[in-house]
Amino acid sequence: MMGTKGRRRVRRRFLDYPRQGRQGRRRWLPSWRQWLGVLALGILGLAGMFAVVYTKIDIPGENTLAGQEATVYYWADGSPMVSVGAVNRQNVSLDKVADSVENSVIAAENTTFYSDSGVSLKGIGRALVSMVSGGDTQGGSTITQQYVKNTYLSQDQTVTRKVKEFIISLKVSNQKSKQDILRGYLNTSWFGRDSYGIEAAAHAYYGVDAKQLNPSQSALLAAVLKGSEQYDPGLSKANHQRAEARWKWILDRQVATGKMSEKQRAKYRTFPEPRPLSKPTSQAGQTGYLIDAANKFVKAGTGLTDKDLARGGYRIHTTFDKQRTRRLEKAVNEVRRKNIDPKHRTADTFVEFGAASVRPKDGALVALYGGADATKHFSNNADTTAVPAGSAFKPFVLAAALQDQVYDDEPADATAPPAVGPTTGAEVLREALVKGQSPPFVQAGQRIGLERLRDVAVASGLRKESMARLEQTFPLGTSAPSAIRMASAYTTFANGGLHAEPYAVSRMTYDGKKLPGFERPDPEQVLDSEVAQEVSNALEQVGWRTLGLPEGKAALPVAAGRTEPGDRKKSAWFIGSPHAAGRGVGPGSGPDAEKWPWTRPGVAPGAGDDNEPTTAITMFRNKAGAPELLPMQGVGGAKSELGTTLPPKVWQAYQQGS
């Protein structure tokens, strides 16, 4: 036997890894002590890193929202249109705010506000993981963090900003009282309606000071904090439904947290409808509608929100032509003055006009008419999707028939004896379009397919969301596109089948730096040029007939779509497009004459002045709060054909104006 002196001593290593005395995979598996050691080192490292970051990040100076520059909007020629700002905000102390506001906001946003450390580790972690993984940005959840973001930091959603928010929130929570934090939060939060802070919001929504808000009104304003674009009940029916649901939840939440008794809650069962939306006087006339259209395009292209835009400092260059916009407004006012008489005709009450002009070559929105005055009538009639298109939709049916060649090889009725006149389905549709007949379009929908009709209309420029249900009457114009989109879609016919998406802003800067998101894609060929030409030819005849001009002798370039007196009796439309007119319409010649029997000799597809815009004019009756449009019977008197003669008069006055 070998004594102890003969044994070989194994020298201990500081880090026993790979582990001695273990074989195979076990050599590479850390022991529990090693796992604990690594964890402890990690915690110490993070703590040290946090300590370093904590000491280096100081509470910065407060953002001065009221000192921000105004946002300036410019006409297409570069001249200023309007300056919007500065920030609508008035700081108030908590004793000037109703207690019900505090209870509602804490119940909605942060029930542990008075007991937490000012941060939510769960919220921060969720936001960081989402941003690193490329998901939707999410904010921290506490009132303190939101106050810090509003007061000290930018609105950027970045990892660096979230870390700063976390550190500064801890410091603010340690250095400021909860009352000071809540006061700051209520004074810096965005409530929509151009309102920063609870005092401005109380006036914007209810016309009272913040001290006078009752618990029901306070709950609605707390609901709006979640996002006015989604929860301001005055913006849409969907918003109203969301706002009402959250309003109820906030009141119930106060009962659950002991801030309100069941007896008090029972007093507030009726939704506290806010005041109607309004615009500042600087946005009177058409200006407010132009700004709305420009902002909508900005938000779609850049991801900015109304809250971002309200902070000011932007320079927004629009596509709106000053002279065309004024001519369009003047034309509507002239036609209204001469033909609409609500004092003597009940049918002339609640009559509304909307119009938009879009340039075919690039989709620029050069003019619009949104209503009589943006400060009195908030809804933008040029961008509403509640007015059925009627027969103005039929050209898309004709385009689908021509594009798919469905009708060119078969007679309209194989069982009928030979007849003089149109012999193919497409010819029947063309003649029906000119004469204002509907049955052939219903038959076309059955043979082509309603989905195909919808797809052609959407490809031409209409939005899928505005399309009606695919029922038998779909080809007759039950869909409700906006005037902007109707003008845009009709440019496709005038532009040889090319479609350019409409836009209202050419460029935008902030602090002198150009913002991305305004690059224009090339127009897309969505219809064959021959198809676009044939639809335009048919529409020229519609225009001559509607305007009462002799065929082939139009004094103006005309391609038109209009509704018939029997079109659902809820709307009237006229769409005028640029086109080479005055050359007559008749059988074509050349290699494509047999395929396209109506091609005009010597006229290239889409010929005309591509700087002359396509203009859509709509007229309807809409009483605020009514669930549906009012009927058009009697509008404009007996000779107006249910008002359908008035939009063409607006177009003529607009074209002839100076």
Side-chain angles (χ1 to χ4, degrees), residues 389-402 429-442 444 448 453 456-457 462 473-479 486 490 493 535 538-539 542 545 560-567 575:
S391 290
F393 185 82
K394 291 176 181 177
F396 302 108
V397 181
L398 175 59
L402 292 168
L429 283 178
R430 181 179 185 274
E431 186 171 279
L433 179 65
V434 174
K435 293 183 177 180
Q437 299 169 342
S438 294
F441 289 91
V442 175
I448 298 173
L453 297 186
V456 168
L462 302 186
T473 54
F474 179 79
L476 302 182
T478 53
S479 298
M486 282 293 274
Y490 267 66
F493 305 136
V535 177
L539 286 173
V542 174
R545 177 173 176 263
R562 53 92 174 86
T563 50
E564 294 293 326
D567 283 341
I575 301 96

Side-chain angles (χ1 to χ4, degrees), residues 570-583:
K570 293 291 181 70
S571 63
W573 286 83
F574 185 85
I575 301 96
S577 298
H579 205 289
R583 301 194 186 186

Side-chain angles (χ1 to χ4, degrees), residues 182-300:
L182 181 61
R183 174 191 56 78
Y185 174 64
L186 291 175
N187 281 324
T188 59
S189 291
W190 168 250
F191 288 85
R193 301 197 178 194
D194 295 325
S195 303
Y196 271 101
I198 186 63
E199 183 70 7
H203 282 277
Y205 283 83
Y206 293 109
V208 300
D209 292 337
K211 185 68 175 178
Q212 298 173 295
L213 291 168
N214 65 39
S216 183
Q217 295 168 335
S218 298
L220 186 276
L221 291 181
V224 171
L225 280 173
K226 191 173 179 66
S228 62
E229 292 175 336
Q230 297 293 315
Y231 289 89
D232 183 341
L235 292 177
S236 68
K237 291 182 180 179
N239 271 30
H240 197 286
Q241 292 173 349
R242 283 189 290 264
E244 188 168 355
R246 187 160 177 81
W247 164 78
K248 289 179 180 177
W249 178 82
I250 290 172
L251 289 172
D252 291 340
R253 183 69 173 159
Q254 291 179 69
V255 174
T257 57
K259 294 296 183 180
M260 181 183 288
S261 68
E262 290 281 3
K263 185 177 181 180
Q264 289 174 310
R265 171 69 179 90
K267 296 179 182 178
Y268 305 110
R269 298 297 180 189
T270 302
F271 185 72
E273 296 290 351
R275 304 170 74 184
L277 290 157
S278 62
K279 290 284 186 183
T281 55
S282 63
Q283 297 182 34
Q286 298 307 300
T287 305
Y289 303 124
L290 299 174
I291 290 175
D292 283 339
N295 285 352
K296 190 173 184 180
F297 180 78
V298 166
K299 289 184 287 185

Side-chain angles (χ1 to χ4, degrees), residues 32 75 111 154 189 219 249 331 357 361 372 471 570 631:
W32 64 270
W75 293 102
T111 55
S154 71
S189 291
W249 178 82
S357 291
K361 68 176 182 179
E471 300 175 329
K570 293 291 181 70

Side-chain angles (χ1 to χ4, degrees), residues 396 399-401 403-404 406 448-459 470 474 526-527:
F396 302 108
Q403 185 73 22
D404 292 356
V406 170
I448 298 173
L450 300 180
E451 288 188 4
R452 176 56 181 161
L453 297 186
R454 180 194 62 197
D455 292 345
V456 168
V458 171
L470 299 181
F474 179 79
V526 297
L527 295 174

